[in-house]
């Protein structure tokens, strides 16, 4: 006969199994049933189980530009068919962003937002929103930089980390410095670590149009901008930041891509992959290169011919390709098997459409014991305020650096 403790354990496992199969909206309501259920739903065990459950399929989240309101907005498609009018979680269906924000990272339902002088984390499913204090190194006014970001989960500590790369250029001397300032943010402690790294071996770093974090590493595509006119091929490489040991590494890219082809790094079938095409041809053929194992690339397929294509954005679940049109920056889905073209009726401007395969998540910024981490709120108005008012949490210089 099972003991009372055994029975309690079986009851808890059964409760977790049943609740983890429910939509997130229903789970949030059950938090009010009792203190026991509240604690259970807040546990890491349940959060991870609900995130990974088979029924919690990824849906398409699009950052686009609303020409009727002259503002940016987020749209979430209701199911995998991409049919019907897209919605945004719960009451956040009027989040309009008047500036040009960028989603510089996505992981486990958390979006990282950046708007030049402020950063924030946002979980649309739970409506949690938190500002991130921004470290600003003291550099001369004549220095300019274009940042690169990465966001993901450290598998060794289960801590969410953000890496910020800043390489500086002195435009008065026309000189780029070899050292880069690296800032690493830790969600668990709401703190940064700043250090310098010699990245002289890295040439031009491309921003990805979607999250490229895989197996605890964030990846960027680089290209050699110092090539001569006599070169037939452009050397593309992948650099990565390992969230566990916090070091950079390099992986050779595909070697047989002509200079005039444009490339974009994506995740395809759980592998680092790259789309590339000739941007000025009247008919576009998009090649997909997949890294089967580290440094070994295979051209898996070629899709086309396509017309009126500005860039390839990524793939949907059955091999369909998302593209942005050249004529009016519309989001279009192309099925290479049926040749069907579906206009998703969302537009961008200045090549700023962003797509994410979004899964609902209970991941909280407050931690399992609900100790506050940063400035946490759960108001739609604060999401809007993030892009409309002056930043309130900016820490300068070495005040925030931790050795």
């Amino acid at each position: 006969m099972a003991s009372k403790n055994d029975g309690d354990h079986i009851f808890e496992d059964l409760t977790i199994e049943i609740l983890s199969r429910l939509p997130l909206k229903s789970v949030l309501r059950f938090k009010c049933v009792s203190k026991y259920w509240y604690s259970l739903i807040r546990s890491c065990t349940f959060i991870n189980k609900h995130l990974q459950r088979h029924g919690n399929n990824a849906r398409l989240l699009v950052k686009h530009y609303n020409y009727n309101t002259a503002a940016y907005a987020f749209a979430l498609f209701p199911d995998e068919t991409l049919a019907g009018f897209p919605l945004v979680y719960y009451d956040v269906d009027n989040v309009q962003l008047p500036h040009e924000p960028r989603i510089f990272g996505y992981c486990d339902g958390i979006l990282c937002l950046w708007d030049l002088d402020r950063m924030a984390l946002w979980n649309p499913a739970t409506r949690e929103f938190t500002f991130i204090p921004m470290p600003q190194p003291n550099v001369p006014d004549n220095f300019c930089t274009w940042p690169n970001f990465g966001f993901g989960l450290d598998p060794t500590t289960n801590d969410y980390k953000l890496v910020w790369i800043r390489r500086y250029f002195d435009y008065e001397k026309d000189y780029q410095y070899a050292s880069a300032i690296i800032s690493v943010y830790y969600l668990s402690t709401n703190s940064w670590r700043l250090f310098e790294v010699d990245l002289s071996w890295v040439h031009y770093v491309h921003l990805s149009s979607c999250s490229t974090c895989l197996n605890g590493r964030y990846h960027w595509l680089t290209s050699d901008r110092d090539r001569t006119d006599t070169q037939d091929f452009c050397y593309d490489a992948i650099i990565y930041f390992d969230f566990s040991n916090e070091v950079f590494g390099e992986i050779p890219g595909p070697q047989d891509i002509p200079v005039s082809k444009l490339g974009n790094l994506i995740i395809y079938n759980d592998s680092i992959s790259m789309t590339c095409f000739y941007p000025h041809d009247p008919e576009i053929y998009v090649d997909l290169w997949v890294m089967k194992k580290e440094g070994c690339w295979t051209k898996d397929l070629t899709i086309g011919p396509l017309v009126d294509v500005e860039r390839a954005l990524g793939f949907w679940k059955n091999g369909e390709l998302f593209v942005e049109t050249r004529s009016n920056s519309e989001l279009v889905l192309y099925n290479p098997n049926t040749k069907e073209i579906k206009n998703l009726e969302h537009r961008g401007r200045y090549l700023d459409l962003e797509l994410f395969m979004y899964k609902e998540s209970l991941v909280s910024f407050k931690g399992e014991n609900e100790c506050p981490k940063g400035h946490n709120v759960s108001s739609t108005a604060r999401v809007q305020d993030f892009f409309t008012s002056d930043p309130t949490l900016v820490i300068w210089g070495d005040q925030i650096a931790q050795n």
Side-chain angles (χ1 to χ4, degrees):
M1 176 180 290
S3 67
K4 184 176 185 297
N5 289 337
D6 291 337
D8 291 343
H9 180 71
I10 293 173
F11 174 76
E12 181 173 307
D13 288 346
L14 184 60
T15 303
I16 291 176
E17 184 65 30
I18 294 174
L19 289 177
S20 67
R21 296 172 181 270
L22 299 178
L24 185 139
K25 188 173 183 178
S26 299
V27 172
L28 292 175
R29 290 174 177 172
F30 282 123
K31 288 172 64 176
C32 302
V33 170
S34 67
K35 290 183 179 180
Y36 169 74
W37 279 35
Y38 180 87
S39 176
L40 186 70
I41 292 171
R42 292 281 295 165
S43 69
C44 292
T45 300
F46 180 81
I47 289 174
N48 291 332
K49 189 174 185 64
H50 186 272
L51 181 65
Q52 302 302 326
R53 70 182 175 86
H54 178 72
N56 189 10
N57 295 319
R59 290 182 283 165
L60 178 65
L61 181 72
V62 181
K63 190 211 81 179
H64 65 104
Y65 187 78
N66 189 325
Y67 280 82
N68 294 325
T69 60
Y72 287 89
F74 293 101
L76 178 72
F77 284 80
D79 56 39
E80 297 182 22
T81 65
L82 304 182
F85 189 78
L87 306 172
V88 179
Y89 283 98
Y90 307 129
D91 61 348
V92 195
D93 53 352
N94 292 311
V95 176
Q96 303 293 331
L97 313 177
H99 300 159
E100 185 176 348
R102 179 167 181 84
I103 304 174
F104 61 81
Y106 165 75
C107 184
D108 292 348
I110 302 175
L111 299 174
C112 296
L113 308 176
W114 176 60
D115 189 28
L116 296 181
D117 55 4
R118 71 202 77 187
M119 293 179 176
L121 300 178
W122 181 30
N123 185 333
T126 62
R127 293 175 287 179
E128 282 192 5
F129 185 86
T130 181
F131 286 100
I132 299 177
M134 289 178 59
Q136 298 289 356
N138 295 313
V139 297
D141 293 338
N142 59 303
F143 281 26
C144 61
T145 182
W146 183 252
N148 291 94
F149 300 100
F151 179 71
L153 180 67
D154 180 346
T156 60
T157 64
N158 286 323
D159 191 9
Y160 292 94
K161 295 181 179 180
L162 184 160
V163 58
W164 184 359
I165 306 172
R166 279 175 283 196
R167 301 180 68 189
Y168 286 93
F169 185 83
D170 187 337
Y171 56 83
E172 290 184 356
K173 298 180 180 179
D174 192 25
Y175 177 77
Q176 179 170 288
Y177 289 86
S179 293
I181 295 179
I182 310 300
S183 307
V184 179
Y185 174 78
Y186 307 87
L187 179 59
S188 61
T189 59
N190 190 39
S191 63
W192 292 84
R193 182 171 81 93
L194 274 66
F195 55 97
E196 290 189 28
V197 171
D198 184 351
L199 291 182
S200 57
W201 50 278
V202 178
H203 295 278
Y204 186 83
V205 180
H206 299 265
L207 296 173
S208 300
S209 61
C210 58
S211 178
T212 49
C213 184
L214 185 66
N215 299 328
R217 293 176 174 179
Y218 200 93
H219 303 77
W220 299 268
L221 177 66
T222 70
S223 61
D224 187 353
R225 297 295 182 179
D226 298 328
R227 59 183 182 271
T228 65
D229 294 337
T230 59
Q231 287 181 301
D232 294 329
F233 297 96
C234 172
Y235 172 75
D236 286 295
I238 311 299
I239 65 167
Y240 63 83
F241 182 78
D242 191 310
F243 286 113
S244 294
N245 53 31
E246 298 185 1
V247 298
F248 287 91
E250 183 180 20
I251 303 172
Q255 297 297 296
D256 297 328
I257 299 178
V259 172
S260 54
K261 280 200 170 185
L262 292 181
N264 182 38
L265 204 64
I266 63 171
I267 302 292
Y268 179 79
N269 286 345
D270 296 325
S271 297
I272 293 296
S273 305
M274 178 177 161
T275 60
C276 58
F277 61 95
Y278 291 108
H280 302 300
D281 285 355
E283 292 186 338
I284 301 294
Y285 290 85
V286 179
D287 296 330
L288 174 67
W289 292 80
V290 179
M291 188 169 64
K292 303 292 186 180
K293 60 180 181 178
E294 191 165 307
C296 298
W297 295 82
T298 302
K299 186 164 73 170
D300 262 23
L301 55 88
T302 298
I303 298 176
L306 303 170
V307 295
D308 191 28
V309 172
E310 181 63 39
R311 59 181 179 143
L313 297 174
F315 286 83
W316 191 228
K317 300 180 180 182
N318 296 315
E320 299 101 326
L321 176 68
F322 290 109
V323 299
E324 180 180 352
T325 63
R326 182 177 301 163
S327 56
N328 51 12
S329 295
E330 288 184 321
L331 179 61
V332 171
L333 184 67
Y334 176 75
N335 189 319
N337 297 319
T338 64
K339 312 301 181 185
E340 177 187 3
I341 297 177
K342 179 187 294 186
N343 190 328
L344 301 181
E345 299 181 0
H346 282 80
R347 298 175 61 188
R349 65 175 189 172
Y350 312 129
L351 305 177
D352 57 5
L353 280 173
E354 293 179 302
L355 311 180
F356 295 90
M357 306 304 115
Y358 185 78
K359 296 185 70 172
E360 290 186 323
S361 166
L362 287 162
V363 174
S364 172
F365 311 139
K366 299 178 182 179
E368 186 177 1
N369 59 2
E370 295 198 332
C371 294
K373 303 296 181 184
H375 182 56
N376 294 283
V377 294
S378 58
S379 169
T380 301
R382 294 310 298 269
V383 182
Q384 296 171 301
D385 181 66
F386 172 75
F387 295 97
T388 57
S389 64
D390 292 333
T392 58
L393 288 175
V394 177
I395 300 180
W396 300 89
D398 295 331
Q399 298 175 8
I400 200 166
Q402 295 191 357
N403 295 324

